[in-house]
């Protein structure tokens, strides 16, 4: 990262979880002052768009937000020691119109049939 001319990521001030995490990570790694002048901050959306447009040389974002962008190559995830995971959960409203359908959807999303689709989209399947 220190060798990159420009580094794109979500603007932490916009409230995006990846940008907030990266700002904290750069501080912990002691590289915040080196990254800041070359940062290309994105106000939401796909950070990879800044790679495609040539505005940034390197982009850091969630894998699921990199894969859909044509013209970029996913290099890989951050090392496990500094990786950050977003956990999604499902809840059911007490006033849901079709409780059975809602429960069925959650079961499909948490089941084995969803795992390959989630993986293809850059996400991990449900924890066992």
């Amino acid at each position: 990262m220190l060798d990159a001319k420009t580094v794109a990521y979500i603007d932490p001030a916009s409230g995006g979880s990846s940008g907030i995490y990266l700002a904290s990570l750069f501080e912990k790694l002691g590289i915040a002052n080196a990254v800041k002048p070359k940062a290309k901050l994105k106000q939401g959306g796909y950070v990879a768009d800044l790679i495609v447009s040539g505005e940034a040389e390197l982009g850091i974002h969630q894998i699921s937000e990199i894969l859909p962008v044509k013209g970029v190559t996913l290099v890989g995830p951050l090392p496990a020691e500094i990786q950050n995971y977003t956990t999604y959960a499902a809840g059911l409203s007490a006033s849901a119109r079709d409780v059975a359908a809602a429960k069925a959807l959650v079961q499909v999303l948490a089941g084995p049939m969803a795992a390959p689709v989630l993986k293809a989209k850059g996400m991990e399947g449900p924890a066992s």
Side-chain angles (χ1 to χ4, degrees):
M1 255 195 357
L2 296 177
D3 291 338
K5 292 177 185 159
T6 49
V7 179
Y9 56 98
I10 292 291
D11 186 347
S14 71
S17 62
S18 64
I20 293 167
Y21 173 72
L22 289 171
S24 168
L25 177 64
F26 298 156
E27 288 290 336
K28 287 179 190 170
L29 294 174
I31 61 172
N33 289 337
V35 172
K36 193 175 274 189
K38 56 174 126 187
K40 298 292 180 185
L41 302 177
K42 182 93 166 128
Q43 302 294 317
Y46 294 126
V47 165
D49 287 340
L50 297 175
I51 307 299
V52 174
S53 71
E55 295 175 62
E57 184 176 56
L58 173 68
I60 305 172
H61 206 184
Q62 294 153 318
I63 293 172
S64 61
E65 301 292 305
I66 295 171
L67 291 178
V69 181
K70 292 181 176 156
V72 298
T73 301
L74 174 67
V75 178
L78 294 175
E81 305 80 37
I82 59 170
Q83 186 56 262
N84 185 49
Y85 293 93
T86 301
T87 302
Y88 293 93
L92 182 57
S93 169
S95 61
R97 281 189 277 161
D98 192 339
V99 172
K103 286 182 178 180
L105 174 62
V106 172
Q107 287 178 336
V108 168
L109 293 174
M113 290 180 63
V117 175
L118 293 171
K119 184 173 184 175
K121 300 295 182 184
M123 295 181 263
E124 294 182 11
S128 318

